[in-house]
Amino acid sequence: MSNFTIVSEFLLMGFSDIRELQIIYSLLFLLIFLATLLGNLLIVIVTTIDRRLHTPMYFFLRNLSIVDACYIAVTLPKASANSLLNSRVISKGECVAQIFLVVFFVYVELTCLTIMARDRYVAICHPLHYTVIMSPQVCMQMTLTCFFTGLLYAGFHTGYTFRLPFCQSNVIHQFFCDIPSLLKLSCSETFSNEIIIVVSGLGVGGGCFAFITASYVRIFSTVLKFPVKEEQRKAFSTCIPHIIVVLVFLISGFCVYLRPSSVSASIEDMILSVFYSIIPPFLNPIIYSLRNKQIKEAVKAVVKKNILSRR
């Protein structure tokens, strides 16, 4: 151990070593970041201003948009700046903060999606009791529970990861700091870390997936009994986009976090990471706004109001 050099900073992987491509990737990341930020902030503003959208469904959608905007801000600006400046360095402190925030927002995003499935289940299967079951107090309690348990979850995994010495290398085979990539750099035994990741990943991710699946099985069985086809179409239009987001998020996340650290790093890890760290926050505003008549009407009303006020 005396011959090892303890790592104080890390080098992130880039998507290309060609300077022209680095600039293109930097601009692409910046555009995706700005579009994601604008889309999610628009949903937050609209669902806050328009009183017609002060319902549990849009309350959770607003929370999801806030989480998405913060989540993508943790990884993409740094990746964009690194590509533009042709720099790969990230300090250990920045890496600690990035891992904590990534794990925290992944946990909160997943639990928010689970609560949204619960909300749709109650709204469709128990409409008469909806306002009682999903009261404002219950919605706030569920949201605060997500955030509080997320802090504990992220704090534990971050602390348990950085108790390890990193002396194999300082090159992280990823465009941001994540736990599986860091475990490959440790010069000590990481078996317990891998077991904890698998157990907690299957426990939280698998549990949320099972809950969401059970909710939608009951939702679809109820929707198919609707006598009016238009009601069926409306119900499916609010559920199917949610299912797509959950599947993309979970499948890509499982592929990255549940792979053994002994598996050699490859470009596949970076591509899969894009699917759970960039695609969901980017797609959520598009899916939930373009397919939602109330959101579109509220956006038009806000835009029209701002135009008239300037005149």
Side-chain angles (χ1 to χ4, degrees):
M1 289 296 291
S2 60
N3 294 328
F4 290 143
T5 301
I6 301 300
V7 174
S8 60
E9 64 180 20
F10 299 98
L11 297 177
L12 299 172
M13 282 280 288
F15 284 91
S16 175
D17 293 326
I18 301 172
R19 185 59 187 148
E20 290 77 10
L21 288 178
Q22 288 177 342
I23 295 173
I24 292 173
Y25 282 129
S26 175
L27 294 175
L28 179 62
F29 287 154
L30 180 60
L31 289 174
I32 292 174
F33 172 67
L34 293 177
T36 304
L37 203 62
L38 180 62
N40 283 293
L41 287 178
L42 186 62
I43 289 178
V44 172
I45 293 170
V46 166
T47 54
T48 302
I49 293 176
D50 196 326
R51 292 189 176 276
R52 294 173 301 174
L53 304 182
H54 289 185
T55 63
M57 174 182 172
Y58 294 105
F59 171 76
F60 294 126
L61 180 57
R62 181 164 62 248
N63 290 338
L64 183 66
S65 295
I66 293 171
V67 171
D68 281 337
C70 295
Y71 180 26
I72 202 167
V74 175
T75 58
L76 217 50
K78 180 69 176 178
S80 179
N82 284 353
S83 293
L84 183 63
L85 302 174
N86 194 22
S87 171
R88 299 166 55 196
V89 177
I90 183 170
S91 69
K92 188 174 182 179
E94 287 178 305
C95 195
V96 171
Q98 203 170 60
I99 281 190
F100 176 84
L101 291 173
V102 165
V103 174
F104 171 71
F105 287 122
V106 165
Y107 178 93
V108 175
E109 172 114 1
L110 184 55
T111 50
C112 276
L113 290 170
T114 305
I115 291 174
M116 290 174 73
R118 164 73 175 175
D119 173 71
R120 291 299 81 210
Y121 162 71
V122 176
I124 293 172
C125 299
H126 303 284
L128 298 179
H129 303 287
Y130 181 67
T131 55
V132 177
I133 297 175
M134 303 300 292
S135 66
Q137 293 82 5
V138 171
C139 293
M140 184 59 69
Q141 288 171 2
M142 288 192 291
T143 301
L144 292 176
T145 300
C146 287
F147 279 90
F148 180 69
T149 54
L151 289 173
L152 296 177
Y153 187 84
F156 172 77
H157 279 284
T158 304
Y160 205 69
T161 299
F162 280 95
R163 71 182 177 82
L164 300 170
F166 302 104
C167 45
Q168 299 281 9
S169 169
N170 71 333
V171 179
I172 297 175
H173 291 270
Q174 193 57 269
F175 67 95
F176 64 93
C177 287
D178 73 341
I179 294 176
S181 299
L182 276 175
L183 293 184
K184 297 172 184 177
L185 307 183
S186 178
C187 49
S188 64
E189 180 59 52
T190 61
F191 180 73
S192 61
N193 292 75
E194 293 178 33
I195 291 296
I196 288 174
I197 288 175
V198 171
V199 172
S200 62
L202 289 176
V204 175
C208 289
F209 179 72
F211 188 90
I212 292 170
T213 302
S215 297
Y216 278 110
V217 166
R218 294 178 181 178
I219 287 172
F220 290 150
S221 63
T222 301
V223 168
L224 291 174
K225 296 176 184 176
F226 287 176
V228 182
K229 293 294 182 181
E230 180 62 24
E231 291 182 354
Q232 291 184 2
R233 188 198 62 78
K234 185 179 178 181
F236 281 125
S237 68
T238 61
C239 295
I240 291 175
H242 184 254
I243 295 172
I244 293 171
V245 171
V246 170
L247 288 176
V248 170
F249 188 71
L250 279 176
I251 292 172
S252 56
F254 279 154
C255 289
V256 172
Y257 278 86
L258 299 186
R259 291 174 67 180
S261 63
S262 57
V263 177
S264 59
S266 66
I267 194 67
E268 293 176 9
D269 291 332
M270 295 178 68
I271 294 173
L272 286 170
S273 295
V274 167
F275 277 96
Y276 81 83
S277 65
I278 297 177
I279 299 300
F282 177 71
L283 285 183
N284 280 346
I286 299 173
I287 289 173
Y288 289 112
S289 60
L290 292 182
R291 296 183 63 90
N292 191 300
K293 184 179 178 180
Q294 287 181 295
I295 289 285
K296 287 190 287 186
E297 289 177 351
V299 169
K300 289 178 183 177
V302 170
V303 172
K304 188 181 294 184
K305 185 179 180 181
N306 287 335
I307 292 174
L308 292 175
S309 62
R310 288 182 180 179
R311 291 179 179 178

PDB file of all heavy atoms in Angstrom, residues 266-299:
ATOM      1  N   SER A 266     -16.994   0.331 -20.858  1.00  0.00           N
ATOM      2  CA  SER A 266     -17.129   0.488 -22.304  1.00  0.00           C
ATOM      3  C   SER A 266     -18.025   1.668 -22.589  1.00  0.00           C
ATOM      4  O   SER A 266     -18.630   2.261 -21.691  1.00  0.00           O
ATOM      5  CB  SER A 266     -17.714  -0.782 -22.934  1.00  0.00           C
ATOM      6  OG  SER A 266     -19.037  -0.975 -22.507  1.00  0.00           O
ATOM      7  N   ILE A 267     -18.110   2.013 -23.861  1.00  0.00           N
ATOM      8  CA  ILE A 267     -18.972   3.110 -24.284  1.00  0.00           C
ATOM      9  C   ILE A 267     -20.437   2.801 -24.000  1.00  0.00           C
ATOM     10  O   ILE A 267     -21.258   3.707 -23.879  1.00  0.00           O
ATOM     11  CB  ILE A 267     -18.747   3.400 -25.789  1.00  0.00           C
ATOM     12  CG1 ILE A 267     -19.375   4.753 -26.186  1.00  0.00           C
ATOM     13  CG2 ILE A 267     -19.335   2.281 -26.636  1.00  0.00           C
ATOM     14  CD1 ILE A 267     -18.706   5.942 -25.572  1.00  0.00           C
ATOM     15  N   GLU A 268     -20.773   1.505 -23.843  1.00  0.00           N
ATOM     16  CA  GLU A 268     -22.148   1.113 -23.540  1.00  0.00           C
ATOM     17  C   GLU A 268     -22.616   1.713 -22.216  1.00  0.00           C
ATOM     18  O   GLU A 268     -23.775   2.119 -22.087  1.00  0.00           O
ATOM     19  CB  GLU A 268     -22.262  -0.409 -23.485  1.00  0.00           C
ATOM     20  CG  GLU A 268     -22.039  -1.098 -24.826  1.00  0.00           C
ATOM     21  CD  GLU A 268     -22.067  -2.607 -24.701  1.00  0.00           C
ATOM     22  OE1 GLU A 268     -22.434  -3.109 -23.617  1.00  0.00           O
ATOM     23  OE2 GLU A 268     -21.728  -3.281 -25.687  1.00  0.00           O
ATOM     24  N   ASP A 269     -21.717   1.762 -21.222  1.00  0.00           N
ATOM     25  CA  ASP A 269     -22.080   2.340 -19.929  1.00  0.00           C
ATOM     26  C   ASP A 269     -22.463   3.810 -20.068  1.00  0.00           C
ATOM     27  O   ASP A 269     -23.407   4.279 -19.434  1.00  0.00           O
ATOM     28  CB  ASP A 269     -20.913   2.204 -18.945  1.00  0.00           C
ATOM     29  CG  ASP A 269     -20.670   0.759 -18.539  1.00  0.00           C
ATOM     30  OD1 ASP A 269     -21.635  -0.024 -18.548  1.00  0.00           O
ATOM     31  OD2 ASP A 269     -19.516   0.416 -18.237  1.00  0.00           O
ATOM     32  N   MET A 270     -21.692   4.534 -20.881  1.00  0.00           N
ATOM     33  CA  MET A 270     -21.966   5.957 -21.074  1.00  0.00           C
ATOM     34  C   MET A 270     -23.297   6.166 -21.797  1.00  0.00           C
ATOM     35  O   MET A 270     -24.068   7.061 -21.447  1.00  0.00           O
ATOM     36  CB  MET A 270     -20.819   6.607 -21.850  1.00  0.00           C
ATOM     37  CG  MET A 270     -19.498   6.599 -21.103  1.00  0.00           C
ATOM     38  SD  MET A 270     -18.149   7.327 -22.045  1.00  0.00           S
ATOM     39  CE  MET A 270     -18.636   9.035 -22.091  1.00  0.00           C
ATOM     40  N   ILE A 271     -23.568   5.337 -22.786  1.00  0.00           N
ATOM     41  CA  ILE A 271     -24.828   5.450 -23.531  1.00  0.00           C
ATOM     42  C   ILE A 271     -26.009   5.131 -22.617  1.00  0.00           C
ATOM     43  O   ILE A 271     -27.027   5.835 -22.626  1.00  0.00           O
ATOM     44  CB  ILE A 271     -24.812   4.521 -24.759  1.00  0.00           C
ATOM     45  CG1 ILE A 271     -23.753   4.996 -25.759  1.00  0.00           C
ATOM     46  CG2 ILE A 271     -26.189   4.473 -25.414  1.00  0.00           C
ATOM     47  CD1 ILE A 271     -23.534   4.056 -26.920  1.00  0.00           C
ATOM     48  N   LEU A 272     -25.876   4.065 -21.815  1.00  0.00           N
ATOM     49  CA  LEU A 272     -26.954   3.704 -20.874  1.00  0.00           C
ATOM     50  C   LEU A 272     -27.172   4.808 -19.846  1.00  0.00           C
ATOM     51  O   LEU A 272     -28.309   5.088 -19.459  1.00  0.00           O
ATOM     52  CB  LEU A 272     -26.612   2.391 -20.177  1.00  0.00           C
ATOM     53  CG  LEU A 272     -26.742   1.117 -21.023  1.00  0.00           C
ATOM     54  CD1 LEU A 272     -26.131  -0.074 -20.290  1.00  0.00           C
ATOM     55  CD2 LEU A 272     -28.203   0.838 -21.362  1.00  0.00           C
ATOM     56  N   SER A 273     -26.079   5.450 -19.418  1.00  0.00           N
ATOM     57  CA  SER A 273     -26.196   6.536 -18.443  1.00  0.00           C
ATOM     58  C   SER A 273     -26.955   7.723 -19.015  1.00  0.00           C
ATOM     59  O   SER A 273     -27.670   8.424 -18.291  1.00  0.00           O
ATOM     60  CB  SER A 273     -24.806   6.984 -17.983  1.00  0.00           C
ATOM     61  OG  SER A 273     -24.152   5.951 -17.288  1.00  0.00           O
ATOM     62  N   VAL A 274     -26.785   7.951 -20.320  1.00  0.00           N
ATOM     63  CA  VAL A 274     -27.540   9.017 -20.986  1.00  0.00           C
ATOM     64  C   VAL A 274     -29.037   8.750 -20.869  1.00  0.00           C
ATOM     65  O   VAL A 274     -29.837   9.661 -20.634  1.00  0.00           O
ATOM     66  CB  VAL A 274     -27.124   9.138 -22.473  1.00  0.00           C
ATOM     67  CG1 VAL A 274     -28.111  10.014 -23.238  1.00  0.00           C
ATOM     68  CG2 VAL A 274     -25.718   9.711 -22.583  1.00  0.00           C
ATOM     69  N   PHE A 275     -29.418   7.458 -20.970  1.00  0.00           N
ATOM     70  CA  PHE A 275     -30.834   7.099 -20.956  1.00  0.00           C
ATOM     71  C   PHE A 275     -31.481   7.295 -19.591  1.00  0.00           C
ATOM     72  O   PHE A 275     -32.690   7.507 -19.513  1.00  0.00           O
ATOM     73  CB  PHE A 275     -31.017   5.652 -21.417  1.00  0.00           C
ATOM     74  CG  PHE A 275     -31.054   5.501 -22.911  1.00  0.00           C
ATOM     75  CD1 PHE A 275     -29.916   5.162 -23.619  1.00  0.00           C
ATOM     76  CD2 PHE A 275     -32.221   5.711 -23.616  1.00  0.00           C
ATOM     77  CE1 PHE A 275     -29.936   5.031 -24.994  1.00  0.00           C
ATOM     78  CE2 PHE A 275     -32.264   5.593 -24.995  1.00  0.00           C
ATOM     79  CZ  PHE A 275     -31.114   5.251 -25.688  1.00  0.00           C
ATOM     80  N   TYR A 276     -30.718   7.225 -18.497  1.00  0.00           N
ATOM     81  CA  TYR A 276     -31.366   7.441 -17.201  1.00  0.00           C
ATOM     82  C   TYR A 276     -31.031   8.806 -16.588  1.00  0.00           C
ATOM     83  O   TYR A 276     -31.714   9.240 -15.647  1.00  0.00           O
ATOM     84  CB  TYR A 276     -31.034   6.313 -16.213  1.00  0.00           C
ATOM     85  CG  TYR A 276     -29.695   6.402 -15.515  1.00  0.00           C
ATOM     86  CD1 TYR A 276     -29.525   7.191 -14.388  1.00  0.00           C
ATOM     87  CD2 TYR A 276     -28.600   5.675 -15.965  1.00  0.00           C
ATOM     88  CE1 TYR A 276     -28.297   7.264 -13.745  1.00  0.00           C
ATOM     89  CE2 TYR A 276     -27.377   5.731 -15.330  1.00  0.00           C
ATOM     90  CZ  TYR A 276     -27.229   6.532 -14.220  1.00  0.00           C
ATOM     91  OH  TYR A 276     -26.013   6.597 -13.587  1.00  0.00           O
ATOM     92  N   SER A 277     -30.010   9.501 -17.111  1.00  0.00           N
ATOM     93  CA  SER A 277     -29.648  10.795 -16.531  1.00  0.00           C
ATOM     94  C   SER A 277     -30.051  11.988 -17.382  1.00  0.00           C
ATOM     95  O   SER A 277     -30.192  13.097 -16.861  1.00  0.00           O
ATOM     96  CB  SER A 277     -28.124  10.851 -16.297  1.00  0.00           C
ATOM     97  OG  SER A 277     -27.420  10.798 -17.530  1.00  0.00           O
ATOM     98  N   ILE A 278     -30.246  11.794 -18.690  1.00  0.00           N
ATOM     99  CA  ILE A 278     -30.566  12.910 -19.580  1.00  0.00           C
ATOM    100  C   ILE A 278     -31.931  12.754 -20.236  1.00  0.00           C
ATOM    101  O   ILE A 278     -32.733  13.692 -20.258  1.00  0.00           O
ATOM    102  CB  ILE A 278     -29.473  13.069 -20.673  1.00  0.00           C
ATOM    103  CG1 ILE A 278     -28.134  13.416 -20.024  1.00  0.00           C
ATOM    104  CG2 ILE A 278     -29.873  14.135 -21.679  1.00  0.00           C
ATOM    105  CD1 ILE A 278     -26.982  13.522 -21.010  1.00  0.00           C
ATOM    106  N   ILE A 279     -32.210  11.556 -20.765  1.00  0.00           N
ATOM    107  CA  ILE A 279     -33.444  11.350 -21.537  1.00  0.00           C
ATOM    108  C   ILE A 279     -34.717  11.593 -20.709  1.00  0.00           C
ATOM    109  O   ILE A 279     -35.606  12.335 -21.147  1.00  0.00           O
ATOM    110  CB  ILE A 279     -33.474   9.943 -22.170  1.00  0.00           C
ATOM    111  CG1 ILE A 279     -32.285   9.771 -23.129  1.00  0.00           C
ATOM    112  CG2 ILE A 279     -34.788   9.714 -22.905  1.00  0.00           C
ATOM    113  CD1 ILE A 279     -32.263  10.749 -24.273  1.00  0.00           C
ATOM    114  N   PRO A 280     -34.877  10.994 -19.501  1.00  0.00           N
ATOM    115  CA  PRO A 280     -36.127  11.228 -18.745  1.00  0.00           C
ATOM    116  C   PRO A 280     -36.392  12.697 -18.416  1.00  0.00           C
ATOM    117  O   PRO A 280     -37.503  13.185 -18.658  1.00  0.00           O
ATOM    118  CB  PRO A 280     -35.937  10.378 -17.476  1.00  0.00           C
ATOM    119  CG  PRO A 280     -35.021   9.287 -17.903  1.00  0.00           C
ATOM    120  CD  PRO A 280     -34.061   9.933 -18.850  1.00  0.00           C
ATOM    121  N   PRO A 281     -35.405  13.453 -17.867  1.00  0.00           N
ATOM    122  CA  PRO A 281     -35.686  14.879 -17.607  1.00  0.00           C
ATOM    123  C   PRO A 281     -36.011  15.662 -18.878  1.00  0.00           C
ATOM    124  O   PRO A 281     -36.803  16.607 -18.837  1.00  0.00           O
ATOM    125  CB  PRO A 281     -34.373  15.387 -16.985  1.00  0.00           C
ATOM    126  CG  PRO A 281     -33.718  14.177 -16.441  1.00  0.00           C
ATOM    127  CD  PRO A 281     -34.073  13.070 -17.367  1.00  0.00           C
ATOM    128  N   PHE A 282     -35.395  15.263 -20.002  1.00  0.00           N
ATOM    129  CA  PHE A 282     -35.642  15.951 -21.271  1.00  0.00           C
ATOM    130  C   PHE A 282     -37.028  15.618 -21.834  1.00  0.00           C
ATOM    131  O   PHE A 282     -37.730  16.497 -22.359  1.00  0.00           O
ATOM    132  CB  PHE A 282     -34.552  15.561 -22.284  1.00  0.00           C
ATOM    133  CG  PHE A 282     -34.750  16.154 -23.656  1.00  0.00           C
ATOM    134  CD1 PHE A 282     -34.572  17.509 -23.875  1.00  0.00           C
ATOM    135  CD2 PHE A 282     -35.113  15.348 -24.723  1.00  0.00           C
ATOM    136  CE1 PHE A 282     -34.761  18.056 -25.136  1.00  0.00           C
ATOM    137  CE2 PHE A 282     -35.299  15.882 -25.989  1.00  0.00           C
ATOM    138  CZ  PHE A 282     -35.124  17.242 -26.203  1.00  0.00           C
ATOM    139  N   LEU A 283     -37.427  14.349 -21.711  1.00  0.00           N
ATOM    140  CA  LEU A 283     -38.692  13.910 -22.298  1.00  0.00           C
ATOM    141  C   LEU A 283     -39.921  14.236 -21.454  1.00  0.00           C
ATOM    142  O   LEU A 283     -41.009  14.423 -21.998  1.00  0.00           O
ATOM    143  CB  LEU A 283     -38.659  12.398 -22.553  1.00  0.00           C
ATOM    144  CG  LEU A 283     -37.833  11.904 -23.742  1.00  0.00           C
ATOM    145  CD1 LEU A 283     -37.966  10.400 -23.878  1.00  0.00           C
ATOM    146  CD2 LEU A 283     -38.260  12.585 -25.037  1.00  0.00           C
ATOM    147  N   ASN A 284     -39.758  14.284 -20.140  1.00  0.00           N
ATOM    148  CA  ASN A 284     -40.918  14.486 -19.270  1.00  0.00           C
ATOM    149  C   ASN A 284     -41.752  15.720 -19.622  1.00  0.00           C
ATOM    150  O   ASN A 284     -42.982  15.623 -19.725  1.00  0.00           O
ATOM    151  CB  ASN A 284     -40.481  14.545 -17.800  1.00  0.00           C
ATOM    152  CG  ASN A 284     -40.242  13.168 -17.218  1.00  0.00           C
ATOM    153  OD1 ASN A 284     -40.636  12.161 -17.794  1.00  0.00           O
ATOM    154  ND2 ASN A 284     -39.578  13.107 -16.073  1.00  0.00           N
ATOM    155  N   PRO A 285     -41.135  16.902 -19.823  1.00  0.00           N
ATOM    156  CA  PRO A 285     -41.954  18.068 -20.196  1.00  0.00           C
ATOM    157  C   PRO A 285     -42.675  17.869 -21.527  1.00  0.00           C
ATOM    158  O   PRO A 285     -43.820  18.298 -21.685  1.00  0.00           O
ATOM    159  CB  PRO A 285     -40.929  19.212 -20.294  1.00  0.00           C
ATOM    160  CG  PRO A 285     -39.764  18.753 -19.517  1.00  0.00           C
ATOM    161  CD  PRO A 285     -39.721  17.267 -19.659  1.00  0.00           C
ATOM    162  N   ILE A 286     -42.015  17.212 -22.490  1.00  0.00           N
ATOM    163  CA  ILE A 286     -42.618  16.977 -23.805  1.00  0.00           C
ATOM    164  C   ILE A 286     -43.798  16.027 -23.679  1.00  0.00           C
ATOM    165  O   ILE A 286     -44.891  16.283 -24.191  1.00  0.00           O
ATOM    166  CB  ILE A 286     -41.574  16.394 -24.778  1.00  0.00           C
ATOM    167  CG1 ILE A 286     -40.422  17.377 -24.970  1.00  0.00           C
ATOM    168  CG2 ILE A 286     -42.216  16.063 -26.126  1.00  0.00           C
ATOM    169  CD1 ILE A 286     -39.266  16.816 -25.775  1.00  0.00           C
ATOM    170  N   ILE A 287     -43.597  14.929 -22.963  1.00  0.00           N
ATOM    171  CA  ILE A 287     -44.639  13.910 -22.819  1.00  0.00           C
ATOM    172  C   ILE A 287     -45.848  14.454 -22.060  1.00  0.00           C
ATOM    173  O   ILE A 287     -46.994  14.304 -22.485  1.00  0.00           O
ATOM    174  CB  ILE A 287     -44.089  12.662 -22.111  1.00  0.00           C
ATOM    175  CG1 ILE A 287     -43.116  11.915 -23.046  1.00  0.00           C
ATOM    176  CG2 ILE A 287     -45.216  11.735 -21.679  1.00  0.00           C
ATOM    177  CD1 ILE A 287     -42.401  10.772 -22.378  1.00  0.00           C
ATOM    178  N   TYR A 288     -45.566  15.120 -20.928  1.00  0.00           N
ATOM    179  CA  TYR A 288     -46.673  15.545 -20.068  1.00  0.00           C
ATOM    180  C   TYR A 288     -47.342  16.837 -20.521  1.00  0.00           C
ATOM    181  O   TYR A 288     -48.444  17.148 -20.066  1.00  0.00           O
ATOM    182  CB  TYR A 288     -46.191  15.701 -18.627  1.00  0.00           C
ATOM    183  CG  TYR A 288     -45.889  14.387 -17.964  1.00  0.00           C
ATOM    184  CD1 TYR A 288     -44.591  14.031 -17.628  1.00  0.00           C
ATOM    185  CD2 TYR A 288     -46.903  13.481 -17.679  1.00  0.00           C
ATOM    186  CE1 TYR A 288     -44.313  12.818 -17.028  1.00  0.00           C
ATOM    187  CE2 TYR A 288     -46.634  12.265 -17.083  1.00  0.00           C
ATOM    188  CZ  TYR A 288     -45.336  11.940 -16.755  1.00  0.00           C
ATOM    189  OH  TYR A 288     -45.059  10.741 -16.170  1.00  0.00           O
ATOM    190  N   SER A 289     -46.696  17.603 -21.400  1.00  0.00           N
ATOM    191  CA  SER A 289     -47.312  18.848 -21.868  1.00  0.00           C
ATOM    192  C   SER A 289     -47.980  18.682 -23.222  1.00  0.00           C
ATOM    193  O   SER A 289     -49.125  19.098 -23.417  1.00  0.00           O
ATOM    194  CB  SER A 289     -46.275  19.976 -21.928  1.00  0.00           C
ATOM    195  OG  SER A 289     -45.226  19.641 -22.822  1.00  0.00           O
ATOM    196  N   LEU A 290     -47.287  18.054 -24.173  1.00  0.00           N
ATOM    197  CA  LEU A 290     -47.843  17.918 -25.513  1.00  0.00           C
ATOM    198  C   LEU A 290     -49.052  16.993 -25.549  1.00  0.00           C
ATOM    199  O   LEU A 290     -49.918  17.138 -26.402  1.00  0.00           O
ATOM    200  CB  LEU A 290     -46.768  17.400 -26.484  1.00  0.00           C
ATOM    201  CG  LEU A 290     -45.616  18.363 -26.789  1.00  0.00           C
ATOM    202  CD1 LEU A 290     -44.667  17.745 -27.796  1.00  0.00           C
ATOM    203  CD2 LEU A 290     -46.130  19.697 -27.312  1.00  0.00           C
ATOM    204  N   ARG A 291     -49.113  16.037 -24.618  1.00  0.00           N
ATOM    205  CA  ARG A 291     -50.221  15.087 -24.598  1.00  0.00           C
ATOM    206  C   ARG A 291     -51.295  15.478 -23.569  1.00  0.00           C
ATOM    207  O   ARG A 291     -52.213  14.721 -23.321  1.00  0.00           O
ATOM    208  CB  ARG A 291     -49.705  13.675 -24.299  1.00  0.00           C
ATOM    209  CG  ARG A 291     -48.780  13.128 -25.374  1.00  0.00           C
ATOM    210  CD  ARG A 291     -48.368  11.698 -25.039  1.00  0.00           C
ATOM    211  NE  ARG A 291     -49.514  10.805 -25.016  1.00  0.00           N
ATOM    212  CZ  ARG A 291     -49.970  10.139 -26.065  1.00  0.00           C
ATOM    213  NH1 ARG A 291     -49.374  10.267 -27.226  1.00  0.00           N
ATOM    214  NH2 ARG A 291     -51.014   9.330 -25.966  1.00  0.00           N
ATOM    215  N   ASN A 292     -51.138  16.655 -22.966  1.00  0.00           N
ATOM    216  CA  ASN A 292     -52.065  17.074 -21.927  1.00  0.00           C
ATOM    217  C   ASN A 292     -52.769  18.358 -22.358  1.00  0.00           C
ATOM    218  O   ASN A 292     -52.139  19.416 -22.479  1.00  0.00           O
ATOM    219  CB  ASN A 292     -51.306  17.294 -20.608  1.00  0.00           C
ATOM    220  CG  ASN A 292     -52.238  17.479 -19.433  1.00  0.00           C
ATOM    221  OD1 ASN A 292     -53.035  18.401 -19.413  1.00  0.00           O
ATOM    222  ND2 ASN A 292     -52.138  16.602 -18.453  1.00  0.00           N
ATOM    223  N   LYS A 293     -54.064  18.261 -22.587  1.00  0.00           N
ATOM    224  CA  LYS A 293     -54.832  19.392 -23.090  1.00  0.00           C
ATOM    225  C   LYS A 293     -54.854  20.541 -22.088  1.00  0.00           C
ATOM    226  O   LYS A 293     -54.742  21.723 -22.467  1.00  0.00           O
ATOM    227  CB  LYS A 293     -56.261  18.940 -23.406  1.00  0.00           C
ATOM    228  CG  LYS A 293     -57.126  20.013 -24.041  1.00  0.00           C
ATOM    229  CD  LYS A 293     -58.515  19.468 -24.353  1.00  0.00           C
ATOM    230  CE  LYS A 293     -59.404  20.563 -24.958  1.00  0.00           C
ATOM    231  NZ  LYS A 293     -60.760  20.045 -25.265  1.00  0.00           N
ATOM    232  N   GLN A 294     -54.992  20.233 -20.798  1.00  0.00           N
ATOM    233  CA  GLN A 294     -55.059  21.278 -19.786  1.00  0.00           C
ATOM    234  C   GLN A 294     -53.755  22.053 -19.683  1.00  0.00           C
ATOM    235  O   GLN A 294     -53.764  23.272 -19.529  1.00  0.00           O
ATOM    236  CB  GLN A 294     -55.411  20.662 -18.425  1.00  0.00           C
ATOM    237  CG  GLN A 294     -56.857  20.207 -18.306  1.00  0.00           C
ATOM    238  CD  GLN A 294     -57.151  19.624 -16.939  1.00  0.00           C
ATOM    239  OE1 GLN A 294     -56.611  18.594 -16.568  1.00  0.00           O
ATOM    240  NE2 GLN A 294     -58.010  20.281 -16.197  1.00  0.00           N
ATOM    241  N   ILE A 295     -52.623  21.339 -19.786  1.00  0.00           N
ATOM    242  CA  ILE A 295     -51.323  22.006 -19.741  1.00  0.00           C
ATOM    243  C   ILE A 295     -51.165  22.925 -20.946  1.00  0.00           C
ATOM    244  O   ILE A 295     -50.718  24.079 -20.822  1.00  0.00           O
ATOM    245  CB  ILE A 295     -50.171  20.976 -19.715  1.00  0.00           C
ATOM    246  CG1 ILE A 295     -50.127  20.252 -18.366  1.00  0.00           C
ATOM    247  CG2 ILE A 295     -48.831  21.651 -19.987  1.00  0.00           C
ATOM    248  CD1 ILE A 295     -49.569  21.075 -17.230  1.00  0.00           C
ATOM    249  N   LYS A 296     -51.530  22.441 -22.123  1.00  0.00           N
ATOM    250  CA  LYS A 296     -51.400  23.249 -23.342  1.00  0.00           C
ATOM    251  C   LYS A 296     -52.273  24.500 -23.260  1.00  0.00           C
ATOM    252  O   LYS A 296     -51.829  25.592 -23.642  1.00  0.00           O
ATOM    253  CB  LYS A 296     -51.775  22.411 -24.568  1.00  0.00           C
ATOM    254  CG  LYS A 296     -50.729  21.377 -24.944  1.00  0.00           C
ATOM    255  CD  LYS A 296     -50.995  20.729 -26.290  1.00  0.00           C
ATOM    256  CE  LYS A 296     -52.149  19.759 -26.217  1.00  0.00           C
ATOM    257  NZ  LYS A 296     -52.309  19.010 -27.499  1.00  0.00           N
ATOM    258  N   GLU A 297     -53.491  24.357 -22.759  1.00  0.00           N
ATOM    259  CA  GLU A 297     -54.380  25.517 -22.618  1.00  0.00           C
ATOM    260  C   GLU A 297     -53.826  26.508 -21.598  1.00  0.00           C
ATOM    261  O   GLU A 297     -53.903  27.730 -21.799  1.00  0.00           O
ATOM    262  CB  GLU A 297     -55.771  25.058 -22.199  1.00  0.00           C
ATOM    263  CG  GLU A 297     -56.529  24.324 -23.301  1.00  0.00           C
ATOM    264  CD  GLU A 297     -57.878  23.821 -22.829  1.00  0.00           C
ATOM    265  OE1 GLU A 297     -58.146  23.902 -21.608  1.00  0.00           O
ATOM    266  OE2 GLU A 297     -58.669  23.337 -23.678  1.00  0.00           O
ATOM    267  N   ALA A 298     -53.263  25.995 -20.519  1.00  0.00           N
ATOM    268  CA  ALA A 298     -52.704  26.864 -19.481  1.00  0.00           C
ATOM    269  C   ALA A 298     -51.475  27.621 -19.999  1.00  0.00           C
ATOM    270  O   ALA A 298     -51.290  28.805 -19.698  1.00  0.00           O
ATOM    271  CB  ALA A 298     -52.328  26.043 -18.253  1.00  0.00           C
ATOM    272  N   VAL A 299     -50.632  26.942 -20.788  1.00  0.00           N
ATOM    273  CA  VAL A 299     -49.457  27.589 -21.375  1.00  0.00           C
ATOM    274  C   VAL A 299     -49.885  28.716 -22.309  1.00  0.00           C
ATOM    275  O   VAL A 299     -49.332  29.824 -22.272  1.00  0.00           O
ATOM    276  CB  VAL A 299     -48.584  26.561 -22.144  1.00  0.00           C
ATOM    277  CG1 VAL A 299     -47.514  27.272 -22.966  1.00  0.00           C
ATOM    278  CG2 VAL A 299     -47.935  25.591 -21.174  1.00  0.00           C
TER     279      VAL A 299
END
